[in-house]
Amino acid sequence: MSEMTIRDTTATLATARLARRRRGGIPPWLRWGSWLPTLITFVIAATLWQVVAWTNPYVLPTLETIGASLVDDAGMYWSNFLVTLLEVVVGASAGILAGFALAVIMAEFQIIERAVMPLVIIVMVTPIVAIAPALVVAFGFGMVPKFIVTGLVVFFPMLVNSLAGLRDVDQRALDVFKTLHASRWEIFRELRFPGSMPYVFAGLRIALPLAVVGAAVAEFVAAGQQAGLGSLVTTSAAQANLPVTWASITLLCLLGVLLIVLLAVVRKRVLWWSDGEVTAKG
């Protein structure tokens, strides 16, 4: 790190500390300007929901009815929530690791990218709803097809963003490493991997919500084990049980929000040196 970079970093940290002291040490999320607009938006949305539910009870259930369903059948919702969570964790983990690993190989060997990327694109543009029944035929009536569907949904955004990050290397730093006769592993470990992390987290910000979508879609179309929030949505909708349907959808939304919040916390810990977000490539 150059002397100028050290001075700039020190000045930035000092400015941040001074600004925090002038604000009285109040965390950003406690300032009314941070949460009041969101609160107003949710209040307006809840009010509109209630108006529609009161005037059209066969279209939307009231919020009280949804809450009562969640409380009265908490055990049923919890067991199905755990099934969907398992699908998200296992499927997304496999898809994320596979996407990053393939990105590393492509970044090191461009001939691999030219050979494999067209096939990857063909798989990614194929409707996942069409793939799921074929996976059931191939892997049976169980959790494996749902893991695969969830993994496929998150694979492409992780591959694209990781590949962009691994290639976005400071050319001057790369020249220094080559001058020092650094090996490919040393360049990857010390330069490419740390520099790719903002892009990886940008990819995760897309992949994790998609993992919830993939798990729900897999439960919609993959026959067999009737468990999970997606299956609960389809079953209750077929029975015109709107409170259960919307309660299950609410839990799917909460799962996605929980994953995003967890990712934000991890990102803040890992990328403490990064000033801002990197735009994800979808």
Side-chain angles (χ1 to χ4, degrees):
M1 184 179 291
S2 66
E3 182 179 351
M4 182 176 294
T5 303
I6 294 175
R7 287 201 303 268
D8 292 343
T9 303
T10 304
T12 301
L13 293 175
T15 303
R17 287 196 296 267
L18 178 61
R20 186 183 180 96
R21 283 198 297 268
R22 287 182 177 177
R23 291 193 299 263
I26 301 176
W29 60 273
L30 284 179
R31 292 185 221 116
W32 68 269
S34 299
W35 53 265
L36 186 58
T38 303
L39 178 62
I40 293 174
T41 301
F42 273 94
V43 169
I44 294 174
T47 302
L48 293 175
W49 181 289
Q50 289 291 79
V51 170
V52 174
W54 288 330
T55 56
N56 299 277
Y58 297 104
V59 175
L60 290 177
T62 62
L63 297 178
E64 305 90 66
T65 306
I66 296 174
S69 178
L70 287 169
V71 173
D72 295 339
D73 297 316
M76 176 191 68
Y77 289 115
W78 178 247
S79 61
N80 285 278
F81 180 87
L82 290 180
V83 172
T84 302
L85 179 61
L86 176 64
E87 295 166 3
V88 170
V89 171
V90 176
S93 298
I96 289 168
L97 291 175
F100 183 78
L102 185 57
V104 172
I105 297 173
M106 288 181 174
E108 295 294 334
F109 307 100
Q110 292 191 4
I111 189 173
I112 300 296
E113 179 183 6
R114 290 194 295 269
V116 175
M117 186 59 81
L119 178 60
V120 172
I121 293 175
I122 290 173
V123 174
M124 288 304 105
V125 299
T126 303
I128 198 68
V129 176
I131 296 177
L135 292 175
V136 172
V137 174
F139 296 99
F141 299 93
M143 299 292 287
V144 174
K146 299 175 184 178
F147 293 152
I148 296 176
V149 169
T150 306
L152 286 174
V153 169
V154 305
F155 174 79
F156 192 67
M158 278 306 303
L159 172 63
V160 172
N161 283 277
S162 299
L163 185 59
L166 291 167
R167 287 184 172 166
D168 187 24
V169 178
D170 188 341
Q171 188 60 43
R172 291 172 297 181
L174 183 60
D175 292 339
V176 171
F177 272 75
K178 290 181 178 179
T179 301
L180 297 174
H181 303 289
S183 64
R184 278 188 170 181
W185 166 246
E186 290 172 330
I187 293 174
F188 171 78
R189 184 186 62 195
E190 303 294 339
L191 189 60
R192 292 190 186 276
F193 180 75
S196 70
M197 283 298 100
Y199 290 85
V200 169
F201 276 91
L204 288 172
R205 194 168 54 183
I206 293 178
L208 291 183
L210 284 179
V212 179
V213 175
V217 169
E219 292 169 353
F220 291 160
V221 299
Q225 184 180 6
Q226 293 298 315
L229 295 174
S231 297
L232 197 58
V233 169
T234 54
T235 303
S236 58
Q239 299 170 351
N241 192 339
L242 290 180
V244 175
T245 301
W246 282 102
S248 303
I249 294 172
T250 300
L251 290 177
L252 285 170
C253 294
L254 290 177
L255 177 57
V257 171
L258 178 63
L259 292 174
I260 290 296
V261 171
L262 181 61
L263 177 64
V265 173
V266 174
R267 185 191 186 281
K268 188 174 182 180
R269 296 288 184 182
V270 174
L271 299 183
W272 53 269
W273 46 269
S274 180
D275 293 332
E277 299 279 355
V278 170
T279 302
K281 303 178 184 297

